[in-house]
Amino acid sequence: MFQLFKRRNFSEFVGDTFTFFNLYGKHYFKNYLIINGGLLLILLVLVYFVSQIFFEGFFSNISTGFSDNQLDAIINNNIGLFTGSGAFAMILILLISLLSYTYPVVYLNLSEKNTAFSTGDIVNAIKAKTGKVITFFLASLVIVFPLLAIGLALCFALIFIIIGIPIIMIFIPAFISWYSLSFYDYLSTDNGYFESLGRGWKMMQPKIWHVVGSTIIMYIIIQVAMGIITMIPYVMGVASIFTDLDNPNAVPNPEKFSFFMMMMVLVMVLSILLNFIFQNLLLVNHGIVYYSLREESENNTPKSEIDLIGTDRE
């Protein structure tokens, strides 16, 4: 059984994240896809068809010698489709994001009780916290996100004197960590919004470099994994065009551009899918950090060790 309440350092924040998924990854992602898979599928199908229309127009533009009128005509003729699809996609992304952020919090909350739980238990827990999730998001729109915008603006301004580069590399993961810890605290306790924001910041202070460091490492791991996977269809698409172009003035092969177009659409779909799936690594990492930092002040280990006796979950 995985122990959530445990004092951890930097290496354990990262290592225990992968230990958690090694133990419960199958159960975790199975329920994640059951709950979130339908919306994800709709989004991916929407992206696939809209991207296909765009790339077909782009391919037609190339075939006719890069005629601006050709591409403009395709966009203008499908302006309603692009606008409506874009708005619908934004709504889907918002819903999927809210579910994706709530799911790991609920999952770890149920795991904290050391009892077996089903998909129905997770769904019921998410429904019970829907009001708090919406409240946290709406409050953040007018309170936290403006602060983020100001912080980023200052960091970018400092980039011109070099010092802004290391500052922004620390500021962004520090902000993400603080925001995630606050969100975990708000959904896991009866604390109010501002109280959770304050507690999230206070919890970080004793081990801020451990927390920020683990966030940076997890983000790098996610980006490398996504890059490797999405690079495969991208390289295949690019190679299909340029491997046989002995004559620079030769007319582009329609079959090659068709294959390239298909690979680019696949890259876009894969990028979106992998982004939502892999972000669970970062969110669970923040959950492990949250319970670890709570352990620092609450000392729940003795109680957790007693609760672990005779319990297990597949």
Side-chain angles (χ1 to χ4, degrees), residues 86-123:
F88 186 51
M90 290 298 297
I91 295 173
L92 277 176
I93 291 172
L94 176 60
L95 291 175
I96 295 170
S97 297
L98 291 177
L99 273 174
S100 295
Y101 269 87
T102 307
Y103 178 81
V105 179
V106 167
Y107 193 95
L108 292 183
N109 282 344
L110 293 173
S111 297
E112 177 190 348
K113 300 176 174 57
N114 302 315
T115 57
F117 53 89
S118 64
T119 306
D121 296 323
I122 300 174
V123 171

Side-chain angles (χ1 to χ4, degrees), residues 223-240:
Q223 293 305 309
V224 170
M226 287 182 58
I228 291 173
I229 296 174
T230 56
M231 185 62 66
I232 296 174
Y234 177 78
V235 171
M236 291 174 61
V238 172
S240 70

